[in-house]
Amino acid sequence: MNANKTQLYNLHKSKGARFVKFAGYEMPIQYSSGIITEHNLTRTKSGIFDVSHMGQLFLKGGDDLTEKLQHIFPTDLKTLNINQSKYSFLLKENGGIYDDLILTKLKDGFMIILNAACKHNDLKIIKSMLKDDSLKLNEDVSLIAIQGPEAKDILEKIIKNVSKLNFMYGNDFDFDNEKIFITRSGYTGEDGFEISISNQKVNNLVDELLDLGSNLIGLGARDTLRLEAGLCLYGHDINEETSPIEANLKWAISKNRVNENFPGAEKIKSQLNDGVKKLRVGIKPNSKIIAREFTKIFDKSNNEIGTITSGTFGPSVKAPIAMGYVSNEFSKNDTEIFLEVRGKKISANVCKLPFYKKNYVKGSINA
Amino acid sequence: MPEVKYSKEHEWIKVEGDIATIGITQHATEMLGDIVFAELPEKGSSVTKDGTAGVVESTKAASDVYTPVSGEITDTNQSIVDDPSKINQDPEGTAWFFKLKLKDKSEMDSLMNKVEYDKFAKETSA
């Protein structure tokens, strides 16, 4: 089967992209400048990410729809403001995570951004739960993100008033005689925006952003950026076997929804009341050795207590960083643990997430 | 000029007398991307042709470094451990990995020369 290509494929190629197959798409893992340069450009200037492989689902409806979606997602959607976004999950009955996603309430419905590898299964589940066989992912739109301290000034030059958006809010804007939807969000730990734009216009917008001094950034740097920011990568740090509570993401479950009806509600309630056996934590190796995904974690008496789910070198923190699950009794910050790398046990400490923190910029109005 | 040869695992080896200096090729560093970690064999240890003799890691993954010949490690390059980015900057020069005392010079015979290696690298990365 041929891999799908995004609208920006030829542009990626012209910038020296090295491609990987990801969720059935040919995606750029890095460009000619390399992952560390791309990472640092995003932290110090700005970077453009092609995330068009992600699913964009638009649901039309009013209060009825909100009510139905409350039975699918563990988020309080009734109190969500128009144009406000929330991080949420599609959950299994056993509390495991089918996908993590961003819900945005629109004037006439909801927009849901889904992970590329999960989007077709998500759609199947949502269709069956809403009993609406006509639902489709919107394949006519691309999705790009611009992230970094210069993102707002660069985008503002093209899209007037976009810098007034608050974090985790969106709105319609005009670009080249077309309506586009922009949210102030992202997955890098930097201020930034995600832009849903037609397949016809996306190349024009990206060209303009590049002309204003922004840079294309591949999936490699996206991974180091999100891990420094302590953010989960679906299929690695969270999956169908981990619940949001075990993943230390209970902040994303609306408190007033815990006693209500949505998939996994029973499990989440019991885990909130009785605690969990394992918990996702940040892990900082006490040397320069990098512990990758699947690295086994031990206590000082050599008992296996967990597994690393993401691990790399953090270019901004200039040290190896990791996340993983450990038995609950080892989840306190500063607990010493041992990671088995190439047959040797190396010392590490459980630590607070994120590894890298910047304050998200607030806009002046809920534009 | 000392003879430089190349292995299929993308190491280069330069022999002066019975001492060989070994590192990874420019082509290898281009495939690996930004190198952020290097581990070297211990001085005085013995290594066997095609056995592992170190590790390099990029932001993406870890890769073993093999020795193309057998021998006893006489020196290692601490500067690439302290600053692994030097490997990307000058892989076939100052960023050598280790030196060893050759056990069997005939092991050099099966290795590629520059022209053969360049062709091999081009074919295998296509």
Side-chain angles (χ1 to χ4, degrees):
Chain A
M1 204 179 85
N2 281 335
N4 294 308
K5 289 175 181 155
T6 70
Q7 298 297 316
L8 299 177
Y9 180 83
N10 288 331
L11 177 67
H12 297 319
K13 222 173 161 177
S14 76
K15 300 284 180 188
R18 193 177 297 168
F19 290 93
V20 283
K21 275 215 177 67
F22 182 80
Y25 287 79
E26 290 271 0
M27 298 303 291
I29 186 127
Q30 65 167 84
Y31 301 88
S32 48
S33 56
I35 292 174
I36 291 181
T37 302
E38 291 169 29
H39 177 111
N40 291 333
L41 280 170
T42 309
R43 289 266 184 261
T44 58
K45 294 173 184 292
S46 74
I48 306 162
F49 301 76
D50 181 9
V51 284
S52 302
H53 55 320
M54 297 182 85
Q56 300 188 57
L57 181 62
F58 296 86
L59 303 171
K60 294 251 179 215
D63 291 347
D64 259 21
L65 176 66
T66 306
E67 187 64 45
K68 283 182 193 162
L69 293 178
Q70 295 254 83
H71 293 290
I72 304 179
F73 302 107
T75 303
D76 184 3
L77 301 172
K78 289 181 183 166
T79 59
L80 211 55
N81 296 315
I82 302 282
N83 289 329
Q84 190 179 6
S85 303
K86 281 272 183 201
Y87 179 69
S88 187
F89 312 98
L90 187 60
L91 295 174
K92 286 180 82 165
E93 280 301 334
N94 71 0
I97 303 171
Y98 279 125
D99 199 2
D100 63 333
L101 47 92
I102 301 280
L103 291 161
T104 304
K105 195 175 197 170
L106 306 174
K107 285 188 258 330
D108 55 350
F110 282 87
M111 173 173 80
I112 311 179
I113 305 293
L114 306 160
N115 274 304
C118 307
K119 64 184 181 182
H120 297 296
N121 190 46
D122 294 346
L123 179 66
K124 213 165 76 186
I125 294 163
I126 294 167
K127 268 162 98 168
S128 107
M129 292 187 80
L130 289 177
K131 299 187 179 62
D132 181 353
D133 212 37
S134 70
L135 285 180
K136 275 202 294 251
L137 296 169
N138 189 342
E139 308 278 3
D140 301 327
V141 280
S142 296
L143 190 67
I144 59 162
I146 178 165
Q147 303 274 293
E150 292 181 358
K152 88 175 150 60
D153 291 335
I154 287 179
L155 195 58
E156 177 73 29
K157 284 185 185 145
I158 305 172
I159 315 277
K160 209 167 162 6
N161 289 330
V162 75
S163 59
K164 291 182 181 168
L165 277 176
N166 265 335
F167 182 61
M168 291 303 269
Y169 272 84
N171 214 334
D172 289 321
F173 292 89
D174 291 316
F175 173 73
D176 203 6
N177 300 316
E178 186 184 285
K179 201 177 81 172
I180 62 175
F181 193 79
I182 304 179
T183 59
R184 193 155 201 168
S185 59
Y187 220 60
T188 59
E190 295 296 326
D191 181 31
F193 303 85
E194 291 193 351
I195 305 164
S196 174
I197 179 170
S198 77
N199 290 340
Q200 289 76 34
K201 303 272 185 182
V202 64
N203 271 288
N204 297 356
L205 177 60
V206 172
D207 285 344
E208 288 197 32
L209 294 171
L210 289 171
D211 285 346
L212 290 167
S214 196
N215 315 273
L216 281 164
I217 310 296
L219 291 182
R222 187 172 171 82
D223 195 49
T224 55
L225 289 159
R226 70 90 198 165
L227 185 49
E228 279 188 343
L231 300 167
C232 290
L233 179 62
Y234 188 83
H236 301 265
D237 307 303
I238 49 175
N239 58 40
E240 292 186 21
E241 308 304 320
T242 60
S243 80
I245 311 303
E246 292 165 336
N248 218 341
L249 297 169
K250 67 179 170 201
W251 56 268
I253 309 278
S254 301
K255 280 203 184 79
N256 63 343
R257 297 294 323 283
V258 171
N259 290 313
E260 294 183 34
N261 181 28
F262 57 85
E266 280 306 311
K267 186 61 170 271
I268 282 172
K269 202 166 121 182
S270 79
Q271 287 187 337
L272 282 172
N273 290 332
D274 308 335
V276 289
K277 290 201 175 72
K278 61 173 182 180
L279 200 63
R280 181 179 64 98
V281 293
I283 295 166
K284 223 165 167 17
N286 294 319
S287 64
K288 294 177 86 172
I289 296 171
I290 301 165
R292 305 278 176 182
E293 186 179 9
F294 307 123
T295 298
K296 288 179 178 171
I297 306 172
F298 295 84
D299 68 5
K300 61 176 185 297
S301 315
N302 222 7
N303 302 303
E304 194 173 332
I305 55 163
T307 312
I308 300 272
T309 51
S310 283
T312 189
F313 177 84
S316 300
V317 300
K318 296 187 168 49
I321 52 174
M323 299 197 296
Y325 286 82
V326 293
S327 300
N328 195 30
E329 61 265 38
F330 296 97
S331 64
K332 276 208 189 72
N333 290 337
D334 302 325
T335 305
E336 191 179 20
I337 55 177
F338 296 87
L339 315 175
E340 189 179 77
V341 180
R342 293 185 284 277
K344 284 182 213 148
K345 304 270 190 340
I346 61 160
S347 165
N349 279 98
V350 171
C351 70
K352 250 201 326 241
L353 291 170
F355 297 99
Y356 174 91
K357 193 171 167 61
K358 218 178 233 184
N359 292 325
Y360 290 107
V361 177
K362 289 254 180 189
S364 53
I365 53 160
N366 298 345
Chain B
M1 279 285 281
E3 182 182 28
V4 182
K5 288 210 160 183
Y6 301 85
S7 75
K8 288 191 174 172
E9 300 291 348
H10 306 285
E11 286 88 26
W12 56 264
I13 170 168
K14 186 168 80 179
V15 178
E16 287 159 291
D18 57 357
I19 299 293
T21 306
I22 292 164
I24 66 172
T25 65
Q26 173 83 31
H27 176 74
T29 61
E30 284 163 11
M31 288 191 300
L32 289 165
D34 297 318
I35 294 167
V36 292
F37 176 79
E39 195 172 83
L40 298 172
E42 282 189 31
K43 241 185 256 186
S45 65
S46 289
V47 292
T48 312
K49 179 178 165 65
D50 300 331
T52 56
V55 175
V56 284
E57 298 208 34
S58 70
T59 45
K60 286 174 288 187
S63 309
D64 286 324
V65 175
Y66 299 92
T67 175
V69 292
S70 309
E72 188 188 313
I73 304 293
T74 59
D75 201 3
T76 58
N77 187 357
Q78 184 60 31
S79 76
I80 63 167
V81 175
D82 297 338
D83 180 7
S85 69
K86 285 186 175 161
I87 303 167
N88 290 99
Q89 290 153 19
D90 190 17
E92 300 192 21
T94 52
W96 54 276
F97 276 53
F98 53 89
K99 293 177 193 273
L100 57 72
K101 191 166 180 227
L102 282 168
K103 194 178 165 197
D104 177 2
K105 271 194 171 174
S106 72
E107 285 179 348
M108 293 289 292
D109 298 344
S110 60
L111 299 172
M112 293 175 274
N113 64 28
K114 174 87 177 132
V115 174
E116 288 165 337
Y117 174 72
D118 286 347
K119 186 164 173 269
F120 168 80
K122 206 173 160 190
E123 282 168 5
T124 49
S125 63

